[in-house]
Amino acid sequence: MGIAERKERDKEELRERILVAAKTLFLEKGVEKTSIRNIADLIEYSPGSIYHYFKDKNEIFHALHQGGFQQLMSRMEVLVAVSNPMERLKRMGAIYVDFALENPDMYDLMFIKEAPMDHVFKSNDEQWKEGFGTFNFLRTTIQECIQAGHFRGHEEEALSFMVWSTVHGMVSLRIRRRCEVVLAQRQDTIVKDGLHEFFSILDRLSS
Amino acid sequence: MGIAERKERDKEELRERILVAAKTLFLEKGVEKTSIRNIADLIEYSPGSIYHYFKDKNEIFHALHQGGFQQLMSRMEVLVAVSNPMERLKRMGAIYVDFALENPDMYDLMFIKEAPMDHVFKSNDEQWKEGFGTFNFLRTTIQECIQAGHFRGHEEEALSFMVWSTVHGMVSLRIRRRCEVVLAQRQDTIVKDGLHEFFSILDRLSS
DNA sequence: TTTTGTTTTTAAACAGTGTTCAATTATTTT
DNA sequence: AAAATAATTGAACACTGTTTAAAAACAAAA
């Protein structure tokens, strides 16, 4: 019965087209300012038909949300080759910041937007574990740093959170345009500069 | 002509009532989910009349935004009595975090929401300098720390940004509900724990 | 090939949104 | 009391997310 399969593929294809259109508009105008009608217009279907493929607007957001974590995780994969945990930690920070600055709207979707966090946790979905995955990777790395004698006197969980917060803080202040308070001539590089300040602090803590 | 003055006062009073109603609803349901009609209902006026006192919804947001900075600044005032700059820096962090956790929605309004940043900067208003004021205060404190021999090898502007980012990152991850990835039993205290990790890092950098 | 059954798609409707504006009401000045 | 000014209203406009009954499209069965 190849027909059923073809229909399945067709359906999957339209679903994908909706997702692509939604992503385009979300990243262009933001989630709130993108309407179902906008998405429907772009793929040349009626607004109602979108509800055949997604329960509601949140489910579309959710699907894209997952895609973002997969992207970030795939960037992190090169780190398995870095055996020195301190080196790995710093490279992780650099990858994280690069990802955020290169995909600000996707980062916004993943870590700043408030929209459907309920939904994300209620649906015990497999993919969201990718979200946990990223933090677990950070925790494990810091664990290894501690085992290697770094961060003496510090505690794994809280330190991991603080490290994450530092990079998240920098990129999210940039993305949400709060960097206007720093010196005008420094605004373009302040995130990278801040990251290097952080790195040199980490280096000092190695001993 | 006491009448003109009384009219002015009346007008100012209704303006204030709109602001109070808007704040109540914004902090209760969020900015997006609060409608002009909701605000009008609460003060028992028609929706249209609100536009006699504010250009649009953003201008209401903006007015509240300013109020938030004044609040935060007034909390910071006690710090002028702290002469040791390192001590002052840490206390600043604690005040900042406390303010954010006690007024999460106002903090959200001030530092996370994207809404009307254009407006904030275009209108070269006096009050927004309070926003600069907070960061200037941080910069000055770190300047003093450096002059006192701390943070050797670090650079004022970038370090200030990084310090701000760390506290902002922690509270904004909490406010936007991204702390679910940390250990369940730690979630309630993770921000304060993270802050103390940060403090002990700062202490180490004192030498 | 025609009929049946299922899936996909649509247009219209509902209740909500921010905002504008002509008309009404209230208040002050002449 | 009449005129002028200011404040307030309610209806309207063009949107929004979502639901739903009807229509169209299409595969399988007769």
Side-chain angles (χ1 to χ4, degrees):
Chain A
M1 291 294 117
I3 296 152
E5 289 174 14
R6 198 223 63 206
K7 289 209 83 177
E8 196 59 40
R9 275 206 315 278
D10 279 6
K11 185 160 180 170
E12 188 51 44
E13 194 193 306
L14 186 47
R15 209 187 123 96
E16 200 56 41
R17 288 221 294 143
I18 293 171
L19 242 29
V20 169
K23 187 175 177 179
T24 307
L25 293 172
F26 282 3
L27 302 193
E28 192 179 288
K29 320 197 297 172
V31 179
E32 312 290 324
K33 301 201 165 179
T34 298
S35 70
I36 296 289
R37 285 170 181 80
N38 293 155
I39 299 168
D41 279 355
L42 201 57
I43 59 167
E44 294 177 300
Y45 273 78
S46 73
S49 66
I50 286 175
Y51 289 84
H52 252 261
Y53 297 86
F54 296 94
K55 198 179 125 286
D56 53 26
K57 199 181 171 184
N58 269 347
E59 201 169 281
I60 301 174
F61 177 101
H62 184 48
L64 293 173
H65 195 261
Q66 288 172 202
F69 279 109
Q70 282 176 313
Q71 264 183 264
L72 178 56
M73 271 305 248
S74 76
R75 285 206 188 196
M76 295 278 181
E77 265 162 28
V78 300
L79 296 175
V80 296
V82 183
S83 53
N84 182 337
M86 277 306 281
E87 182 62 25
R88 187 159 73 242
L89 181 61
K90 288 195 279 181
R91 293 235 207 143
M92 225 174 138
I95 289 173
Y96 189 93
V97 168
D98 282 345
F99 174 81
L101 296 183
E102 285 167 29
N103 310 283
D105 301 280
M106 183 54 90
Y107 185 88
D108 198 301
L109 227 58
M110 292 162 69
F111 294 110
I112 308 182
K113 285 238 151 63
E114 60 204 322
M117 275 292 100
D118 304 333
H119 196 255
V120 171
F121 291 106
K122 259 186 292 191
S123 70
N124 60 338
D125 71 85
E126 319 80 55
Q127 299 279 19
W128 166 244
K129 280 160 194 158
E130 307 279 343
F132 281 88
T134 317
F135 187 70
N136 280 335
F137 194 19
L138 171 61
R139 183 165 31 210
T140 305
T141 302
I142 280 181
Q143 230 164 32
E144 287 180 48
C145 287
I146 292 172
Q147 272 156 18
H150 308 298
F151 302 132
R152 212 177 298 280
H154 287 278
E155 190 263 320
E156 180 190 315
E157 192 76 9
L159 185 59
S160 301
F161 178 69
M162 197 224 79
V163 168
W164 179 29
S165 294
T166 304
V167 287
H168 168 73
M170 292 192 293
V171 298
S172 64
L173 284 172
R174 148 65 89 223
I175 290 172
R176 287 297 172 97
R177 317 223 352 257
R178 259 65 173 192
C179 289
E180 276 86 352
V181 292
V182 308
L183 289 175
Q185 71 267 27
R186 299 294 302 276
Q187 282 174 27
D188 291 334
T189 58
I190 196 67
V191 174
K192 294 247 161 180
D193 293 349
L195 187 65
H196 285 115
E197 291 290 327
F198 188 50
F199 283 170
S200 75
I201 288 174
L202 289 180
D203 285 335
R204 289 215 194 178
L205 264 55
S206 294
S207 62
Chain B
M1 289 291 119
I3 296 152
E5 289 174 14
R6 199 225 60 206
K7 287 210 82 179
E8 198 59 40
R9 276 206 313 280
D10 279 6
K11 186 159 180 169
E12 188 52 44
E13 194 193 307
L14 186 47
R15 209 187 122 97
E16 200 56 43
R17 286 223 294 143
I18 293 171
L19 242 28
V20 170
K23 186 175 178 179
T24 307
L25 293 172
F26 282 2
L27 302 194
E28 191 180 288
K29 320 195 298 173
V31 179
E32 313 290 325
K33 300 202 165 178
T34 298
S35 70
I36 296 289
R37 284 170 182 82
N38 293 155
I39 299 169
D41 279 354
L42 200 57
I43 60 167
E44 294 177 301
Y45 273 75
S46 74
S49 66
I50 286 176
Y51 289 84
H52 252 259
Y53 297 86
F54 296 94
K55 197 180 126 285
D56 53 27
K57 200 180 171 185
N58 268 348
E59 200 167 283
I60 301 175
F61 177 102
H62 184 50
L64 293 173
H65 195 260
Q66 288 173 203
F69 279 110
Q70 282 176 313
Q71 264 184 264
L72 178 56
M73 270 306 249
S74 77
R75 285 205 189 196
M76 295 278 180
E77 266 162 28
V78 299
L79 295 175
V80 296
V82 183
S83 53
N84 181 338
M86 276 307 279
E87 182 61 26
R88 188 160 73 240
L89 180 61
K90 288 195 279 180
R91 291 234 209 144
M92 225 175 139
I95 289 173
Y96 190 92
V97 168
D98 282 345
F99 174 81
L101 297 183
E102 284 167 29
N103 310 283
D105 301 280
M106 183 53 91
Y107 186 88
D108 198 300
L109 228 58
M110 294 162 68
F111 294 110
I112 309 182
K113 284 240 153 59
E114 60 205 320
M117 275 292 103
D118 304 333
H119 197 253
V120 171
F121 291 106
K122 260 186 294 199
S123 69
N124 61 339
D125 71 85
E126 318 82 54
Q127 299 279 19
W128 166 244
K129 281 160 193 158
E130 306 278 344
F132 281 88
T134 316
F135 187 70
N136 280 335
F137 193 20
L138 171 61
R139 182 164 32 211
T140 306
T141 302
I142 280 182
Q143 229 163 35
E144 287 181 48
C145 287
I146 292 172
Q147 271 157 18
H150 308 299
F151 302 133
R152 212 178 298 279
H154 287 279
E155 190 263 320
E156 181 190 315
E157 192 76 9
L159 184 60
S160 301
F161 178 69
M162 197 223 79
V163 169
W164 179 29
S165 294
T166 304
V167 288
H168 167 73
M170 292 191 293
V171 298
S172 64
L173 284 171
R174 148 65 87 227
I175 290 171
R176 287 297 171 97
R177 317 223 352 257
R178 258 65 173 193
C179 290
E180 276 85 352
V181 292
V182 308
L183 289 174
Q185 72 268 25
R186 300 293 302 277
Q187 283 174 26
D188 291 334
T189 58
I190 197 67
V191 174
K192 293 250 162 180
D193 293 348
L195 186 65
H196 285 115
E197 292 289 327
F198 188 50
F199 284 170
S200 74
I201 287 174
L202 289 179
D203 284 336
R204 288 214 196 178
L205 264 55
S206 295
S207 62

